Amino acid sequence: MDSRPVGFFDSGLGGVSVLGEAVRLLPCERFIYFGDTAHIPYGDKPPQQVLAYTHAAVDKLVALGCKAIVIACNTATSVAAGVLRQELSMPIIGMEPALKPAELLPGEGYVLVLATRVTLSLPKFHQLMRSYGQHAVPVPCPGLMELVEAGVMDGPEVDALLQKLLRPYAGLRIKAVVLGCTHYPFLRRPIARYFGPGVALVDGNLGTVRQLQRRLAQEDLLSPGPGGDVTFLSSAPGAEAAMRRLLAAHAGIFASACP
């Protein structure tokens, strides 16, 4: 048993969508969330720059006494998770686009993978494509993450950008859409409206938190409680209030209680 907090890291606000699942699934744990909002976006930066920013963020969380780190960012995971696992003797949990569960869904059609350009360009995603990408179509989505960071999660501006990004794929028969950036679940409503009720939207948030739960249990790091408290930090002023609002809006985060 270990009552130290779990550290969450993202380039900005998007990882709060993963944190919300963790608060719901692991109600006895304490959490520290760090958003590197001074350097957002990561998705259009060189991998070495992303690695440097991720190192700095994780060092901060380790210094604050975190017992495990969740890299709640697909881009940072692709660039830095392997390096960090070699350097640190603690659980390092990363994200990856949920292509496997999307591909295994029943029905026929293509799977669109919405993600940043960096995520789609790196070897980690290419390996995922080789294993589960038989019907997958990578779709880089510049601008979507920035809308979430600006607090715009529905409405004409979101609809217009989705139309622009997805118009080239309008003729395809689509069975599922992978939300391959942790910001994108906050756009679930307009994305679902664009594709209609017959298309599944899949993200990796719950799977990531379940992996965190498994690793904490394996290493006897689960907290006995009490838990549920979240500390928000950011590298630029003013973001913490937005993080709190997003967490409060996450459906069902208070559904569980610490035994």
Side-chain angles (χ1 to χ4, degrees), residues 107-126:
E108 297 181 356
Y110 287 95
V111 174
L112 297 189
V113 184
L114 313 187
T116 69
R117 294 187 187 277
V118 171
T119 294
L120 298 177
S121 69
L122 289 169
K124 182 179 178 66
F125 180 71
H126 294 166

Side-chain angles (χ1 to χ4, degrees), residues 34 59 79 93 105 121 124 136 141 195 197 223 232 247 252 258:
F34 177 72
D59 286 348
V79 171
I93 311 299
L105 287 172
S121 69
K124 182 179 178 66
C141 294
F195 286 102
S223 174
F232 287 109
L247 183 60
C258 183

